[in-house]
Amino acid sequence: MRDVSNDSELQTYYRQMVPHALRPLWLDYKELLQPEPRSKAIPYVWHWRDMYPQIMKAAELVSTDEAERRVLMLMNPGLEGRDAITNTLYAGVQLVLPGEVAAAHRHTPSALRFIIDGDGGGHTTVDGERIPMESGDLVLTPNWTWHDHGNHSGRPIIWLDGLDLPLANMLEATFFELFGDDMQPVTKPSDASVESWGAAAGLRPVGRQHTAAYSPLMHYQWRQTKPALERLAAAGGGTPEDGAMLEYTNPQTGGHVMPTMACYAQVLAPGQRTAAHRHTCSAVYQVVEGRGQSIVNGEQLDWESKDVFCVPGWTYHEHANTSSEPAYLFSFTDLPVLESMDLLREQPHPKGRQ
Amino acid sequence: MRDVSNDSELQTYYRQMVPHALRPLWLDYKELLQPEPRSKAIPYVWHWRDMYPQIMKAAELVSTDEAERRVLMLMNPGLEGRDAITNTLYAGVQLVLPGEVAAAHRHTPSALRFIIDGDGGGHTTVDGERIPMESGDLVLTPNWTWHDHGNHSGRPIIWLDGLDLPLANMLEATFFELFGDDMQPVTKPSDASVESWGAAAGLRPVGRQHTAAYSPLMHYQWRQTKPALERLAAAGGGTPEDGAMLEYTNPQTGGHVMPTMACYAQVLAPGQRTAAHRHTCSAVYQVVEGRGQSIVNGEQLDWESKDVFCVPGWTYHEHANTSSEPAYLFSFTDLPVLESMDLLREQPHPKGRQ
Amino acid sequence: MRDVSNDSELQTYYRQMVPHALRPLWLDYKELLQPEPRSKAIPYVWHWRDMYPQIMKAAELVSTDEAERRVLMLMNPGLEGRDAITNTLYAGVQLVLPGEVAAAHRHTPSALRFIIDGDGGGHTTVDGERIPMESGDLVLTPNWTWHDHGNHSGRPIIWLDGLDLPLANMLEATFFELFGDDMQPVTKPSDASVESWGAAAGLRPVGRQHTAAYSPLMHYQWRQTKPALERLAAAGGGTPEDGAMLEYTNPQTGGHVMPTMACYAQVLAPGQRTAAHRHTCSAVYQVVEGRGQSIVNGEQLDWESKDVFCVPGWTYHEHANTSSEPAYLFSFTDLPVLESMDLLREQPHPKGRQ
Amino acid sequence: MRDVSNDSELQTYYRQMVPHALRPLWLDYKELLQPEPRSKAIPYVWHWRDMYPQIMKAAELVSTDEAERRVLMLMNPGLEGRDAITNTLYAGVQLVLPGEVAAAHRHTPSALRFIIDGDGGGHTTVDGERIPMESGDLVLTPNWTWHDHGNHSGRPIIWLDGLDLPLANMLEATFFELFGDDMQPVTKPSDASVESWGAAAGLRPVGRQHTAAYSPLMHYQWRQTKPALERLAAAGGGTPEDGAMLEYTNPQTGGHVMPTMACYAQVLAPGQRTAAHRHTCSAVYQVVEGRGQSIVNGEQLDWESKDVFCVPGWTYHEHANTSSEPAYLFSFTDLPVLESMDLLREQPHPKGRQ
């Protein structure tokens, strides 16, 4: 059979239709419809020992006034200069010095903040609610919520930013607005959403109207999450692929915290090694405590406390705690996106492990 | 115009159709379609000072072997011998002595248990999960779950039973089955659902499949609920009609704990008096702590710790804490039924208070 | 073991607690919690040959002015004078003479009208939309919609009324209001909901806001339903228990037409006999065309065109077309109620047929 | 203030962090978070007078055996060689000659076919159901359904392919599989889904289980859609921005036909001009009948029967029928994607028209 891609006679036909904005499908067919996904993103680990000096150097060189946000983005080396850690997700390390402010704005890309180093003296204000930020806490600043950051403590605060910015930009749905003043007015009690929605499992405040698509709870405290993980693990909870794992949820619906990103915390016991699997959603992990390694598509990523690593979509991955202490991981993924589109697939590794 | 109900000529016509199982609507029209609901149930309070000696006397006279369940039902005086506290709801006071067992069975009417007096030595086992019962705890035994009760402590345990039994019987949908043995086998860790689902707000165990229509969390502990109420109240939460109030929820969906009954806890500050309203759902209140009064359709019900009172549907009601300590109320209603049927209405009292 | 119900010593104890509105559960236990439902309603058929002369006689004796609605209710003989055809459902035969009006009102019980005999000259107006009524049509007058009936043709119109009135009254949620004038103003084009929502399967008008819990389509025409049944049957559709059957749906949600009642049309081929099953919902059947018999809890009900019969909940039933022409049945049930409450059960007959 | 992007001292700092896969956010900040979307896709019209000779030429030059699918893709000139008509959508014109087969395969990108020229002799088989294709019909081949195309008529069949392929590829969620044989076996009656689900509005077959996320109805016939549009228009239905418009729906849920694409048909009366608006979803229009023009971001697109044009996201657009006959448009959009992600925005033009 002729190769219709390279046939010289046909080339003329192909070329003359270009001005009509037409192109034969059969030239691109195999590239467009591949048997299964092969992410351009690669498995990669960002070590704290590398990130920390860089972000501290940034603090010397650039003010928040100059940068608006003092953030170093984690650039997936496979994504050729796209500001993305996986195809749909963005991650960055942000630092706010004592006395600084990161000015109030809002945008349709949704964001989460996972505190790497903070003692509660730094804060984020979200739609008028001021939220203190402590190490291990998760803070949401969802789609189109006003938010600004400040630091009234005596030492720098550093956190991981997670956004669906690559997704929102691919969908051509990014809107952005500056508040005008550096800081929005605080109109609610501190941690108001925690006082209303966060006090205990299975309890909902009567009379609070919340119609947004994201969680009414803006702050998930590590001092709640860590013991919850420990209790789950002690009760034998968990799956072979993830160990004892909790998903952060929207308490009003029981669903994901935001329509585009899901957040998780998990604990691996000393020596524990999980079963390998892959799924079409991609993931970003922040090591909260502990030391271990993950094997992603055959590649070994060694990690320790405060490191960040990524697992691109449809890559087999498994995790191991190689230390004698429990290892705690926070992670976020684009699972809700794949799920809504009915494009979520999951597959265990045929041999259990790589 | 003729009165077609009493017209003597027409009576012959009416009578001759009886054998055909027919009857003129116009004879019953006004009774069938009244302008608004007038519950046959009346507002009523059962005082602990009355219930307690009666249930203790029952302990002397009747064993759980003889009674299967040693329960005194709270009979609404307006309901003419129906075993019901409101049109759709049932309430009873149950006592289990040290060493006794209330044998394992299951039924389609859903049940809840609110512990009036217990130190954790008594327990309910629900589908293989053993749940210790302490004062103020809420325990669910939903539709068709196996359940039995026991008491391994040194003193009697007493709780309030709440069921949708009148509703299930009206709907002709009651099924009942004995387990066979007195006690079902315990197949899960103690309080397993609390360890998985109950550790903290906004956290869901990954990998737990739960497809039932009721909550996966079977046990809501007062030691969680009370501080949650206090925090909500301190943060200014609440509504004019209910004060600071939390609904117990199904953490998987954020919805009601069961498809037929909703459960609530609320706190009234010393001296607080709520605004009056009415709704088509009916409610049963258990006083957890404190002293006060409720005005229901103009009738004053005085209550104190451990008393039970009911608010029939579509009756104006308001509550007041008449003491100098906070008053805590637990309540359950048939709101989910009215809501599903699109028959839920709520109306504030035109004057705010009665 | 003592019989604690009859023990004479205990009787004293039982009697003295009556003034406290208490009663031992164990006296009623077996009656309250029976192994499975036994409906008080009985299987029954109302023959057109009986109903027709009675309703025509009513037309002579009573005007719509006098009766407000000229309806003969179908009284289930097992229900002891309750105005009900099954525990939750009501059915009646209504007649409007040429020139008469059945005055505008609304009520929270939901209603459906299935036209037994009409040529389109009679009509129902629902919330400003005038709907012509032809034999075999289904017209909805849901919860709290204004509705009045008229007849501008030259001959009487007769239809079957189906309501959830017993349910709404049991739930103490019946509200009723007169419009004031006999007829509400017509504010929309005739059959407006059909023009918008009813033109073809799988097409929804853009820009029509409809937030009610019931269907936006108020009129389902037999001239659409009958050919649809024929096509379904020809394509081999159907179930062993029901033959080729279509559920009338809310086109906005794909769900039941109203939150309390589901409506169906089915066809049985000449000689076809269905498999027996039972379910906790109860049903009322209207024979549209044809002749056959149903066996309900062992009792044979013979039916022909325009007859009505009922199948109480949890009774085994099977249908047979005993003629040489197709038989068409319309039916309505309380399935949505049982389903919402998670009390719906279905069971095939162990032998397939009774 | 310094320009931190161009400061020479800082460049050294920026460069040395590249090997650590880090990059300052502030260098890309303004590009990443723009005030509102500016699609790279441009408004464009593909005229039938151009497409038709090109696709007929393809029929001479390339067989379906060689091409697997004989499709000319509509390449948005703004998208720099991406096989896409808007950022998330793909469109192509496909031709099958008499006697040809386009081999069976399946893929996770969802597809729709809108027949430009066919008399029912061509067909698509979807999961064992053979669907005849007539001009104006819509046929779905959703996510992971087996499908092949054939033509047993005497003349070519041509249709528009619409896919979410750019989206699925951006999400790295494309899977593809060949069936093996050219044609899958036909296992269901012809147009089985139409016989079951498509006969009339508001009727659902009882007993058909359908659990997929897409519509159970695979074929929407123009001979149903066109009169439905006419009835809607005659009844005064429609919106200022779209005229009388129907959305094709999943009859089981009332929702979109597929989780990633929504389909619409609309009619514009002679002389009708719609109001301008914009929305974050992008759209592709196929002119079924008629002649008119659309103004998209100030640019005039003239169109007539069988032309295709696109409206990129967040571009103001308005349509006009400039002829004396009704104009019928079919369109598909990625609205369900934006909606699920809570990124759907719509805005009327401040002046009503451009």
Side-chain angles (χ1 to χ4, degrees):
Chain A
M1 202 183 280
R2 253 189 326 176
D3 177 351
V4 292
S5 304
N6 289 320
D7 186 277
S8 61
E9 191 188 14
L10 290 171
Q11 300 292 340
T12 313
Y13 169 60
Y14 301 159
R15 269 194 303 272
Q16 60 78 36
M17 74 173 73
V18 171
H20 297 303
L22 297 172
R23 179 178 166 81
L25 169 59
W26 58 88
L27 297 181
D28 303 343
Y29 190 66
K30 290 221 164 67
E31 192 191 324
L32 282 175
L33 284 163
Q34 300 194 1
E36 64 178 30
R38 282 181 304 183
S39 184
K40 286 181 186 157
I42 64 166
Y44 197 80
V45 57
W46 288 258
H47 294 292
W48 185 244
R49 60 180 178 262
D50 296 327
M51 289 188 286
Y52 182 71
Q54 294 292 342
I55 189 69
M56 292 310 293
K57 184 79 179 171
E60 290 170 31
L61 297 174
V62 178
S63 70
T64 53
D65 271 3
E66 289 171 318
E68 193 154 332
R69 293 293 188 270
R70 186 191 293 108
V71 175
L72 296 184
M73 299 184 289
L74 281 53
M75 306 285 285
N76 191 294
L79 292 177
E80 301 161 7
R82 286 184 61 204
D83 294 340
I85 189 164
T86 72
N87 64 319
T88 56
L89 299 174
Y90 159 110
V93 173
Q94 182 160 177
L95 181 153
V96 180
L97 292 177
E100 280 188 337
V101 167
H105 65 200
R106 62 179 176 177
H107 39 70
T108 51
S110 294
L112 60 90
R113 326 291 171 174
F114 190 83
I115 316 312
I116 300 173
D117 192 4
D119 60 3
H123 68 266
T124 293
T125 305
V126 186
D127 279 349
E129 173 186 346
R130 189 158 166 174
I131 300 166
M133 298 162 99
E134 283 186 64
S135 298
D137 287 3
L138 170 66
V139 175
L140 307 182
T141 58
N143 184 333
W144 214 235
T145 52
W146 291 113
H147 56 283
D148 52 74
H149 311 291
N151 185 351
H152 292 79
S153 76
R155 59 188 186 86
I157 175 167
I158 305 180
W159 65 78
L160 181 77
D161 281 324
L163 285 93
D164 58 7
L165 189 48
L167 175 77
N169 278 338
M170 287 191 300
L171 296 179
E172 296 180 346
T174 296
F175 293 80
F176 173 84
E177 198 173 356
L178 278 170
F179 184 75
D181 292 326
D182 268 9
M183 298 171 70
Q184 60 181 307
V186 173
T187 60
K188 301 173 188 168
S190 180
D191 254 343
S193 73
V194 175
E195 301 312 310
S196 288
W197 287 93
L203 292 173
R204 187 183 70 80
V206 172
R208 296 275 171 187
Q209 300 302 325
H210 178 78
T211 56
Y214 48 78
S215 173
L217 181 57
M218 293 291 132
H219 186 190
Y220 300 76
Q221 297 163 301
W222 187 246
R223 64 170 182 257
Q224 300 280 341
T225 307
K226 188 177 179 180
L229 275 177
E230 286 164 351
R231 289 175 66 176
L232 178 65
T239 68
E241 293 82 7
D242 290 306
M245 188 186 229
L246 291 163
E247 181 174 357
Y248 295 84
T249 64
N250 173 339
Q252 191 172 50
T253 64
H256 309 302
V257 288
M258 297 186 285
T260 51
M261 292 188 286
C263 296
Y264 303 89
Q266 72 196 95
V267 59
L268 300 172
Q272 186 174 355
R273 178 176 290 275
T274 67
H277 71 148
R278 59 181 178 178
H279 36 61
T280 47
C281 53
S282 60
V284 177
Y285 291 80
Q286 165 82 53
V287 183
V288 189
E289 293 179 34
R291 204 172 68 246
Q293 63 181 218
S294 298
I295 302 175
V296 187
N297 257 18
E299 190 164 336
Q300 179 176 324
L301 306 179
D302 291 302
W303 42 256
E304 60 188 349
S305 187
K306 300 187 181 174
D307 288 355
V308 176
F309 63 96
C310 70
V311 175
W314 209 239
T315 57
Y316 284 117
H317 55 280
E318 60 192 86
H319 309 296
N321 178 349
T322 56
S323 80
S324 55
E325 297 295 322
Y328 294 87
L329 302 175
F330 166 81
S331 59
F332 65 97
T333 80
D334 61 352
L335 179 141
V337 178
L338 282 298
E339 194 178 61
S340 301
M341 305 295 100
D342 198 29
L343 291 167
L344 185 62
R345 289 195 181 192
E346 192 268 351
Q347 190 176 48
H349 193 281
K351 297 183 181 162
R353 284 184 189 153
Q354 301 172 78
Chain B
M1 202 184 284
R2 250 188 331 174
D3 177 351
V4 292
S5 305
N6 289 323
D7 185 275
S8 62
E9 189 185 18
L10 289 171
Q11 299 294 339
T12 313
Y13 169 60
Y14 300 158
R15 268 194 304 273
Q16 60 79 35
M17 74 172 74
V18 171
H20 296 303
L22 297 171
R23 178 177 168 82
L25 168 60
W26 58 87
L27 296 180
D28 303 343
Y29 191 67
K30 291 223 165 63
E31 192 190 325
L32 283 175
L33 284 163
Q34 300 193 3
E36 64 177 30
R38 285 181 300 184
S39 183
K40 287 182 185 157
I42 63 167
Y44 197 79
V45 58
W46 288 259
H47 292 292
W48 184 244
R49 62 179 177 263
D50 297 326
M51 290 188 286
Y52 182 70
Q54 294 293 340
I55 190 68
M56 292 311 292
K57 185 78 180 171
E60 289 170 31
L61 296 174
V62 178
S63 70
T64 52
D65 272 1
E66 288 171 320
E68 195 156 331
R69 292 292 188 272
R70 186 191 292 109
V71 175
L72 297 184
M73 299 183 290
L74 280 54
M75 306 286 286
N76 191 293
L79 291 177
E80 300 160 10
R82 285 183 64 205
D83 294 340
I85 188 164
T86 73
N87 64 320
T88 56
L89 299 174
Y90 159 109
V93 173
Q94 181 159 177
L95 181 154
V96 180
L97 292 178
E100 278 188 339
V101 167
H105 66 200
R106 62 179 177 178
H107 39 70
T108 53
S110 294
L112 62 90
R113 328 290 171 173
F114 190 83
I115 317 311
I116 301 174
D117 192 2
D119 59 3
H123 68 268
T124 293
T125 304
V126 186
D127 279 350
E129 174 185 345
R130 190 157 166 173
I131 300 167
M133 299 163 99
E134 283 187 65
S135 298
D137 287 2
L138 170 67
V139 175
L140 306 182
T141 58
N143 183 336
W144 213 236
T145 51
W146 292 112
H147 56 281
D148 53 76
H149 310 292
N151 185 350
H152 291 79
S153 77
R155 59 190 187 84
I157 174 166
I158 305 180
W159 66 78
L160 181 77
D161 282 324
L163 284 93
D164 59 8
L165 191 46
L167 174 76
N169 278 338
M170 288 191 300
L171 296 179
E172 297 181 346
T174 297
F175 293 80
F176 174 84
E177 197 174 356
L178 278 170
F179 183 76
D181 293 326
D182 267 9
M183 298 172 70
Q184 61 181 305
V186 173
T187 59
K188 299 173 188 166
S190 180
D191 254 343
S193 73
V194 175
E195 301 311 311
S196 288
W197 288 94
L203 292 174
R204 186 184 70 79
V206 172
R208 297 275 170 188
Q209 300 302 325
H210 178 80
T211 56
Y214 48 78
S215 174
L217 181 56
M218 293 289 130
H219 186 191
Y220 300 77
Q221 297 164 302
W222 188 246
R223 63 171 181 256
Q224 299 281 341
T225 308
K226 189 177 180 180
L229 275 176
E230 286 165 352
R231 290 175 66 176
L232 179 65
T239 68
E241 293 82 7
D242 290 305
M245 187 186 230
L246 291 163
E247 179 173 0
Y248 296 86
T249 63
N250 174 339
Q252 191 173 50
T253 65
H256 308 303
V257 288
M258 299 186 285
T260 50
M261 292 189 287
C263 296
Y264 303 89
Q266 72 197 96
V267 60
L268 301 172
Q272 186 175 355
R273 177 175 292 272
T274 67
H277 70 149
R278 59 181 177 177
H279 36 62
T280 47
C281 54
S282 60
V284 177
Y285 290 80
Q286 164 82 51
V287 183
V288 189
E289 293 180 34
R291 205 173 65 249
Q293 63 181 219
S294 297
I295 301 174
V296 187
N297 258 17
E299 189 162 339
Q300 180 178 323
L301 306 178
D302 291 304
W303 42 257
E304 60 188 347
S305 186
K306 299 185 181 174
D307 288 355
V308 175
F309 64 96
C310 69
V311 174
W314 209 239
T315 56
Y316 283 116
H317 55 280
E318 60 191 86
H319 310 295
N321 178 349
T322 54
S323 79
S324 55
E325 298 295 322
Y328 294 88
L329 302 175
F330 167 82
S331 58
F332 65 96
T333 79
D334 61 354
L335 179 141
V337 177
L338 283 297
E339 194 177 59
S340 300
M341 305 295 100
D342 198 30
L343 291 167
L344 185 63
R345 289 195 182 194
E346 193 268 350
Q347 193 175 46
H349 192 282
K351 297 183 183 164
R353 285 185 190 153
Q354 301 172 75
Chain C
M1 202 185 280
R2 252 188 331 175
D3 177 351
V4 290
S5 305
N6 289 319
D7 186 277
S8 61
E9 189 187 18
L10 290 171
Q11 299 293 341
T12 313
Y13 169 60
Y14 299 159
R15 269 195 302 274
Q16 61 78 37
M17 74 173 72
V18 171
H20 297 304
L22 297 171
R23 177 175 167 84
L25 168 60
W26 57 86
L27 295 181
D28 303 342
Y29 190 66
K30 290 224 163 63
E31 193 192 324
L32 282 175
L33 283 163
Q34 300 193 3
E36 64 179 30
R38 284 181 303 182
S39 184
K40 286 180 185 159
I42 63 166
Y44 197 79
V45 57
W46 288 259
H47 293 292
W48 185 243
R49 61 178 177 264
D50 297 327
M51 290 188 286
Y52 183 69
Q54 295 291 343
I55 189 70
M56 292 311 292
K57 185 77 179 170
E60 290 170 30
L61 297 174
V62 178
S63 70
T64 51
D65 271 3
E66 289 171 319
E68 193 153 334
R69 292 290 188 272
R70 187 192 292 109
V71 175
L72 296 185
M73 300 184 288
L74 281 54
M75 306 285 286
N76 190 294
L79 290 178
E80 300 161 9
R82 284 183 63 205
D83 294 340
I85 188 164
T86 72
N87 64 319
T88 56
L89 300 173
Y90 158 109
V93 174
Q94 181 158 177
L95 182 153
V96 179
L97 291 177
E100 279 188 340
V101 167
H105 65 200
R106 63 178 177 177
H107 39 71
T108 52
S110 294
L112 60 91
R113 327 290 171 174
F114 190 82
I115 317 310
I116 300 173
D117 193 3
D119 60 4
H123 67 266
T124 294
T125 305
V126 186
D127 278 349
E129 173 186 345
R130 189 158 166 173
I131 300 166
M133 298 162 101
E134 282 187 64
S135 298
D137 286 2
L138 170 66
V139 176
L140 307 182
T141 57
N143 184 333
W144 213 237
T145 52
W146 291 112
H147 55 282
D148 54 76
H149 311 292
N151 185 352
H152 292 79
S153 77
R155 60 190 185 85
I157 177 168
I158 305 181
W159 66 77
L160 181 78
D161 282 325
L163 284 93
D164 59 5
L165 190 46
L167 175 76
N169 278 338
M170 287 192 300
L171 296 180
E172 296 180 347
T174 297
F175 292 80
F176 173 83
E177 197 174 355
L178 278 169
F179 183 76
D181 292 326
D182 267 8
M183 298 171 69
Q184 61 181 306
V186 172
T187 58
K188 300 173 188 167
S190 179
D191 254 345
S193 73
V194 175
E195 301 312 310
S196 288
W197 287 94
L203 291 174
R204 185 183 70 81
V206 172
R208 298 273 171 187
Q209 300 301 327
H210 178 80
T211 55
Y214 48 78
S215 174
L217 181 56
M218 292 290 131
H219 186 191
Y220 300 77
Q221 297 164 302
W222 188 245
R223 64 171 181 258
Q224 299 280 344
T225 307
K226 189 178 179 180
L229 275 177
E230 287 164 351
R231 291 175 67 174
L232 178 65
T239 68
E241 293 82 7
D242 290 304
M245 188 186 229
L246 291 164
E247 179 172 0
Y248 296 85
T249 62
N250 174 340
Q252 191 173 51
T253 64
H256 309 301
V257 288
M258 297 185 285
T260 51
M261 291 188 287
C263 295
Y264 304 89
Q266 72 197 96
V267 60
L268 300 171
Q272 186 175 355
R273 179 176 290 274
T274 66
H277 70 149
R278 59 180 177 179
H279 35 62
T280 46
C281 53
S282 60
V284 177
Y285 290 79
Q286 165 80 53
V287 183
V288 189
E289 291 180 35
R291 205 172 66 247
Q293 61 181 220
S294 297
I295 301 175
V296 187
N297 257 19
E299 190 163 338
Q300 180 177 324
L301 306 178
D302 292 305
W303 43 257
E304 60 187 351
S305 186
K306 300 186 181 174
D307 288 355
V308 176
F309 64 95
C310 70
V311 174
W314 208 239
T315 57
Y316 282 117
H317 55 282
E318 62 193 87
H319 310 297
N321 178 349
T322 56
S323 79
S324 57
E325 298 294 324
Y328 293 88
L329 302 174
F330 166 81
S331 57
F332 65 96
T333 79
D334 60 351
L335 179 142
V337 178
L338 282 297
E339 196 176 59
S340 300
M341 305 295 100
D342 198 28
L343 292 167
L344 184 62
R345 289 194 182 194
E346 193 269 350
Q347 191 176 49
H349 192 281
K351 296 180 181 165
R353 284 185 189 151
Q354 297 171 78
Chain D
M1 202 184 282
R2 248 186 337 172
D3 177 351
V4 290
S5 305
N6 290 319
D7 186 277
S8 61
E9 189 188 17
L10 290 171
Q11 299 293 341
T12 313
Y13 169 60
Y14 300 159
R15 267 195 304 275
Q16 60 78 37
M17 74 172 72
V18 171
H20 297 304
L22 297 172
R23 179 177 166 82
L25 169 60
W26 56 89
L27 296 182
D28 303 343
Y29 189 66
K30 290 224 163 65
E31 193 191 323
L32 283 175
L33 284 164
Q34 300 192 3
E36 65 179 26
R38 284 180 303 182
S39 184
K40 287 180 185 160
I42 64 166
Y44 198 79
V45 59
W46 288 259
H47 294 292
W48 185 243
R49 60 180 178 264
D50 298 326
M51 289 188 285
Y52 182 70
Q54 295 291 342
I55 189 71
M56 291 312 291
K57 185 75 177 173
E60 288 169 32
L61 297 173
V62 178
S63 69
T64 51
D65 271 5
E66 290 171 319
E68 194 155 331
R69 292 292 190 271
R70 188 190 292 108
V71 175
L72 296 185
M73 300 183 290
L74 281 52
M75 306 286 287
N76 191 293
L79 292 177
E80 301 162 7
R82 284 183 64 203
D83 295 340
I85 188 164
T86 71
N87 64 319
T88 57
L89 300 174
Y90 159 109
V93 174
Q94 181 159 178
L95 181 154
V96 180
L97 292 177
E100 280 188 338
V101 167
H105 65 201
R106 63 178 176 179
H107 38 71
T108 51
S110 294
L112 60 91
R113 325 290 171 175
F114 190 82
I115 317 310
I116 299 173
D117 192 3
D119 58 4
H123 67 265
T124 293
T125 305
V126 186
D127 278 350
E129 173 185 345
R130 190 158 163 174
I131 300 166
M133 298 163 98
E134 282 186 65
S135 297
D137 287 3
L138 170 66
V139 176
L140 307 182
T141 57
N143 184 335
W144 213 236
T145 52
W146 291 112
H147 56 282
D148 52 77
H149 311 293
N151 185 352
H152 292 78
S153 76
R155 59 188 187 85
I157 176 167
I158 305 180
W159 66 77
L160 181 77
D161 283 323
L163 284 94
D164 58 6
L165 191 45
L167 175 76
N169 278 338
M170 287 190 302
L171 296 180
E172 297 181 344
T174 297
F175 293 79
F176 173 83
E177 197 173 356
L178 279 169
F179 183 74
D181 293 326
D182 266 10
M183 298 171 68
Q184 62 180 305
V186 173
T187 58
K188 300 174 187 166
S190 180
D191 254 344
S193 74
V194 176
E195 302 311 310
S196 290
W197 287 93
L203 292 174
R204 185 184 70 82
V206 172
R208 297 273 170 188
Q209 300 302 326
H210 179 79
T211 55
Y214 48 78
S215 174
L217 182 57
M218 293 289 130
H219 186 191
Y220 299 77
Q221 297 165 302
W222 188 246
R223 62 170 182 259
Q224 300 279 342
T225 307
K226 189 179 177 179
L229 274 177
E230 287 164 350
R231 291 175 67 175
L232 178 66
T239 67
E241 292 82 7
D242 290 304
M245 190 186 228
L246 291 163
E247 180 174 358
Y248 295 85
T249 62
N250 174 339
Q252 191 173 50
T253 64
H256 310 301
V257 289
M258 297 185 285
T260 51
M261 291 188 287
C263 296
Y264 304 89
Q266 73 196 96
V267 60
L268 300 172
Q272 186 175 354
R273 180 176 290 273
T274 66
H277 71 149
R278 59 180 178 177
H279 36 63
T280 46
C281 52
S282 61
V284 177
Y285 290 80
Q286 165 82 54
V287 183
V288 189
E289 292 179 35
R291 206 173 66 246
Q293 62 180 216
S294 297
I295 302 174
V296 187
N297 256 20
E299 189 163 338
Q300 180 177 324
L301 306 178
D302 292 303
W303 42 257
E304 60 189 345
S305 186
K306 301 187 182 173
D307 288 355
V308 176
F309 63 96
C310 70
V311 175
W314 209 239
T315 57
Y316 283 116
H317 55 281
E318 60 192 88
H319 310 296
N321 178 350
T322 57
S323 80
S324 56
E325 298 295 321
Y328 294 88
L329 302 175
F330 167 81
S331 58
F332 66 95
T333 79
D334 61 351
L335 178 142
V337 177
L338 282 297
E339 194 177 60
S340 301
M341 305 295 99
D342 199 28
L343 291 167
L344 186 63
R345 291 195 180 192
E346 193 268 351
Q347 190 177 47
H349 192 282
K351 297 182 182 162
R353 284 185 191 152
Q354 300 171 75

